[in-house]
Amino acid sequence: MDQPTSLFNPAQHTLHLVVGSSGGIGAALTQQLSALGHTLITTSRRGSDADLQLDFEDDASVAAFGPALASRLDGAALRSVFICSGLLHAIGVRPERRIEALKADAYTRVMRVNALGPLCLMGQLKALLARDGPSQVSAVSARVGSIADNRLGGWYSYRCAKAALNMGFKTLAVELQRTHPACALTLFHPGTTDTALSAPFQRGVAPHKLFSTARAADQFVEVVRRRETEPGLQFLAWDGQPVAW
């Protein structure tokens, strides 16, 4: 079987799965890949604005996703996955400035969407992921999930969730070394991006450090593209620089 020379060469007809395609970065990424001529399968919580429905807060939705995607693939191997879903705030969910603000229900929601959901999803996708050549799995993480870089404190739920995502991907990378040795895994820190997720927290961000979703999507693709032939896991920022674990 011919192997793709590049996952990002439209002539190779690589299918890209974009999880969370209705969010800020996910929507921009979907638009960019589509404009470049790539074939996509997209997901959203509602499903009405994407190809498939996937809700990380619904166990049944996650469990049903693998068979639904397999049906869409129709025997083809999955080679490219972008996980763009995330939760920072919602009704009853706010980043905690102090430990007294930590609430179990909110913490659980943030953990499910940012860490547990993506990892359970990978449990569904592993059997569909290509073994005969290059593949890539990437997820939007955040510098606030870095244990070494935490000097400001606060944001307990979100920090813990992104740190858990990072550790989960670190463990997944060890497993995939044995089963999918050509798979490149990337945790991507996009910087502060002008999305609904960051909107309430942009006041102190300098204009040149607030990125558009289009720029973030472009950087996401570029970071992943640069290392698509480098198996294993890296935690990288928007400029391609490593982020401390």
Side-chain angles (χ1 to χ4, degrees):
M1 180 182 296
D2 292 337
Q3 298 178 2
T5 57
S6 171
L7 301 176
F8 297 96
N9 179 356
Q12 298 297 326
H13 305 293
T14 301
L15 186 148
H16 301 271
L17 173 65
V18 180
V19 177
S21 63
S22 62
I25 293 177
L29 180 66
T30 296
Q31 183 176 15
Q32 182 187 112
L33 291 173
S34 296
L36 291 173
H38 292 287
T39 303
L40 308 180
I41 293 179
T42 60
T43 85
S44 72
R45 292 186 63 185
R46 294 178 297 277
S48 58
D49 49 3
D51 297 313
L52 293 172
Q53 190 268 347
L54 177 61
D55 183 354
F56 284 156
E57 295 189 74
D58 183 345
D59 291 342
S61 173
V62 176
F65 184 75
L69 178 61
S71 178
R72 292 293 294 262
L73 292 174
D74 192 27
L78 181 63
R79 294 191 183 274
S80 178
V81 180
F82 290 91
I83 302 175
C84 304
S85 302
L87 174 65
L88 175 59
H89 60 88
I91 296 175
V93 177
R94 296 284 294 180
E96 308 89 353
R97 294 184 179 181
R98 301 185 303 159
I99 190 65
E100 293 91 338
L102 188 64
K103 305 298 182 185
D105 289 348
Y107 180 95
T108 300
R109 282 195 68 189
V110 173
M111 187 66 71
R112 282 183 65 123
V113 173
N114 291 291
L116 182 59
L119 294 174
C120 288
L121 171 65
M122 289 310 303
Q124 297 284 316
L125 298 185
K126 180 185 171 186
L128 303 175
L129 200 61
R131 294 172 181 258
D132 65 336
S135 62
Q136 77 83 21
V137 177
S138 52
V140 175
S141 185
R143 194 181 297 274
V144 296
S146 165
I147 294 173
D149 192 67
N150 184 0
R151 298 176 180 88
L152 297 177
W155 288 33
Y156 285 87
S157 297
Y158 194 67
R159 285 185 186 277
C160 289
K162 289 301 186 181
L165 172 69
N166 295 350
M167 177 57 80
F169 260 61
K170 182 72 173 178
T171 307
L172 176 64
V174 173
E175 181 175 345
L176 292 185
Q177 281 181 336
R178 299 189 291 266
T179 61
H180 298 72
C183 183
L185 295 98
T186 307
L187 291 159
F188 176 68
H189 166 61
T192 303
T193 306
D194 189 12
T195 65
L197 184 145
S198 71
F201 315 102
Q202 294 177 7
R203 179 176 297 181
V205 180
H208 70 282
K209 291 186 177 181
L210 181 62
F211 301 153
S212 69
T213 55
R215 174 174 170 173
D218 181 66
Q219 291 166 332
F220 196 3
V221 170
E222 181 61 17
V223 164
V224 174
R225 185 193 64 78
R226 286 178 184 175
R227 59 172 312 268
E228 63 176 316
T229 57
E230 301 173 4
L233 173 66
Q234 292 189 34
F235 183 13
L236 300 173
W238 56 269
D239 57 0
Q241 295 302 305
V243 180
W245 295 94

